[in-house]
Amino acid sequence: MALISIIEDFHPLNDAKLLYRADELKPSLHHEIVEPVGGFQLKERYSPEREEIVLQKVPKLAMGKGQNLCLDFGDHYVGYLTLEFSYTGSHPDAPAFLKLKFSEVFDELSENSDDYDGWISTSWIQEEYIHVDVLPARVTLPRRYAFRYLKITMMDTSPKYKLIVKHAELLTESSANYKRLEPFTTGDELKDRIYNVGIRTLANCMQDVFEDGPKRDQRLWMGDLRLEALANYVSFRNMNLVRRCLYLFGGSRFPDGRISANVFIKPAVEADDTWMFDYSLLFVVALEEYLQETNDEETLNDLYDIAMQQVEISLRHCDERHVVDDEAANAAFIDWREGMDKRGCAQAVLIFAMRYARRLARRKNDYSQANWLLEQLELLRKAAIEYFWDEEQKCFVSEGQTAMATQVWMVLADVLEPEKARELMENSERFLEPYKMATPYMHHYYVTALCRTGLLEKAEKHMKEYWGSMLDAGADTFWEAWDPDDPKASPYGGKVINSYCHAWSCSPVVLIKKFFTQQK
Ligand code: RAM
């Protein structure tokens, strides 16, 4: 399911005042210098087999044509790499020609990017060919990378000399301030590990904006922002960064006022020409949640109309039965699951967002709007039962499918009475196939639907199993897409392009703090 939208002559609607505010809220970035903690060589260039090297020996390792050296920085980092090179043998009579490959996870090291034939640009794969003309040399690479492992392959030297990697260091970058974190433990080892990896995932995505992933797309996406903001409220509490991102979404929109699915920041702020029905509505949700934390009236005043506009535009996508139309269903993201019908989900996300819109209206003392929203959402809720609920199967059916995502969003939208919702989720295992949840993003909503219906034990068990299985598979930060039964799965036609530090996967931070910590 390629997600590519190209609108010719797309001119976003930019609001100078909102963008000015966003600019004022730019975060300061924190840095530290880190060095490798281990080294090894892959037996062959793309083989997963490795031979350890004592780290102290690395500066003595003379590398000839075809050899490789892998440096392990010990954890996932984001930053700028500097390498120092020298040589042995005669005076170098030819440049050193190297390939550098940055990998977030070990398996990525042995993947050959030439094999990738998916729909996402291969330019996201973190690898470079560099020439070093004069030795010795100190080389700082201009790009920012996200990685734990660095593979240096000696493409060529000359018979007269061999290359030595004398030193490597990384200047890390993040707007997360670890000093703001309060010590936290649940007393349960697995939960603590999941929490800590979630924190690292969030921190490494916190840059100039809340990025979706520091490897790819390094961009502000609405669905990711909502979950990052929630995790941030219970950890780093960088409120200005959330506020900045909300202003960026509000500040550059579709010409008709729609919130774009994501926003480019450089060279200038510009909404992407991609609209996703659910993501535009999550703006309403994220704004209200931000206000719950801050009561920031200025932001409410600045962004209120834009939030209401998203609901109004979405309601135009409902037919006379109060059911969302094809365009809305097709434009809903929900999850990376090929072939899944999204109409029921889109209907539910709209109801869900309208409940938040109503809260916003009440905050604004806009009672006529709040009442109107209540009337409208009741119409949509009744339509959801009438057209999607199947009394025989006792679940929601969207175009003949009983996908988990549909049940989950209907539960989160409070379409059912609490008792009925609980019954639905008690038996939720029956919805795991065939439209399997593909991402931690959808698994997050599944866990919250279980919590919403009071099934806390089941919710916690699922969180531990799913995110725990990523830890078992070697995660230092949580991954964009993961199916423990199919570790090679990728929504993009090849794992080499997957992101292994992905914003929407940090959500156990909030799940654990909000639902799975015993209050003493
Ligand atoms: C992916 C992004 C992002 C997500 C969108 C829908 O390409 O990485 O996380 O929000 O898809």
Side-chain angles (χ1 to χ4, degrees), residues 3 119-120 212-213 216-217 219 221-224 261 276 279 333 336 441 480 492 499 502-504:
L3 192 158
W119 60 274
I120 285 210
D212 60 336
R216 206 218 75 241
D217 310 328
R219 200 172 317 142
W221 284 84
M222 192 61 233
D224 302 74
M276 298 197 318
Y279 272 33
F333 168 66
W336 284 121
Y441 177 70
E480 168 178 30
Y492 310 117
S499 149
H502 213 71
W504 65 25

Side-chain angles (χ1 to χ4, degrees), residues 176-412:
N177 183 355
Y178 276 90
K179 290 194 189 116
R180 297 210 52 165
L181 276 190
E182 286 174 9
F184 174 73
T185 169
T186 61
D188 172 313
E189 203 213 317
L190 177 56
K191 264 195 289 186
D192 284 354
R193 279 176 61 215
I194 294 177
Y195 177 83
N196 290 330
V197 171
I199 286 285
R200 188 153 198 97
T201 308
L202 173 64
N204 287 0
C205 291
M206 284 172 74
Q207 300 292 338
D208 179 48
V209 294
F210 280 102
E211 293 182 4
D212 60 336
K215 168 184 167 185
R216 206 218 75 241
D217 310 328
Q218 308 178 356
R219 200 172 317 142
L220 178 60
W221 284 84
M222 192 61 233
D224 302 74
L225 170 64
R226 184 203 170 209
L227 300 191
E228 288 174 290
L230 290 177
N232 169 61
Y233 297 143
V234 297
S235 56
F236 297 107
R237 294 191 62 76
N238 188 339
M239 302 307 178
N240 279 345
L241 191 60
V242 181
R243 187 175 181 208
R244 166 170 161 73
C245 293
L246 292 169
Y247 274 82
L248 287 167
F249 273 111
S252 189
R253 288 175 285 143
F254 270 61
D256 62 2
R258 280 176 291 164
I259 294 276
S260 172
N262 70 89
V263 176
F264 298 100
I265 309 301
K266 288 176 185 162
V269 178
E270 186 175 0
D272 185 20
D273 53 356
T274 303
W275 176 66
M276 298 197 318
F277 183 78
D278 48 346
Y279 272 33
S280 69
L281 288 164
L282 289 176
F283 175 80
V284 181
V285 177
L287 174 61
E288 208 281 324
E289 287 167 337
Y290 167 76
L291 292 167
Q292 279 177 38
E293 294 294 323
T294 60
N295 284 318
D296 168 358
E297 276 200 27
E298 194 187 355
T299 301
L300 175 64
N301 291 335
D302 286 342
L303 301 180
Y304 179 75
D305 289 344
I306 296 175
M308 291 305 147
Q309 190 184 29
Q310 304 315 303
V311 173
E312 284 152 23
I313 291 172
S314 300
L315 283 173
R316 282 187 228 140
H317 283 281
C318 294
D319 60 19
E320 60 295 338
R321 301 170 305 159
H322 308 288
V323 173
V324 293
D325 63 13
D326 285 349
E327 205 185 332
N330 294 336
F333 168 66
I334 308 297
D335 194 13
W336 284 121
R337 175 52 63 211
E338 198 83 40
M340 184 175 80
D341 184 78
K342 296 176 181 169
R343 193 181 304 268
C345 294
Q347 177 92 8
V349 174
L350 176 52
I351 301 169
F352 178 76
M354 285 169 81
R355 296 193 188 280
Y356 286 84
R358 206 173 150 237
R359 282 181 215 147
L360 284 177
R362 293 213 300 248
R363 277 182 188 278
K364 195 83 169 73
N365 297 327
D366 190 353
Y367 294 108
S368 62
Q369 178 77 357
N371 289 341
W372 177 77
L373 283 163
L374 183 61
E375 280 164 27
Q376 296 299 310
L377 80 84
E378 263 306 299
L379 293 173
L380 262 85
R381 193 188 67 81
K382 285 187 183 135
I385 305 251
E386 190 172 343
Y387 297 103
F388 295 96
W389 179 257
D390 183 316
E391 192 50 35
E392 235 165 75
Q393 297 188 65
K394 296 249 176 305
C395 68
F396 291 97
V397 180
S398 189
E399 303 289 325
Q401 300 174 4
T402 57
M404 179 71 91
T406 312
Q407 321 305 323
V408 162
W409 276 109
M410 290 288 188
V411 165
L412 292 173

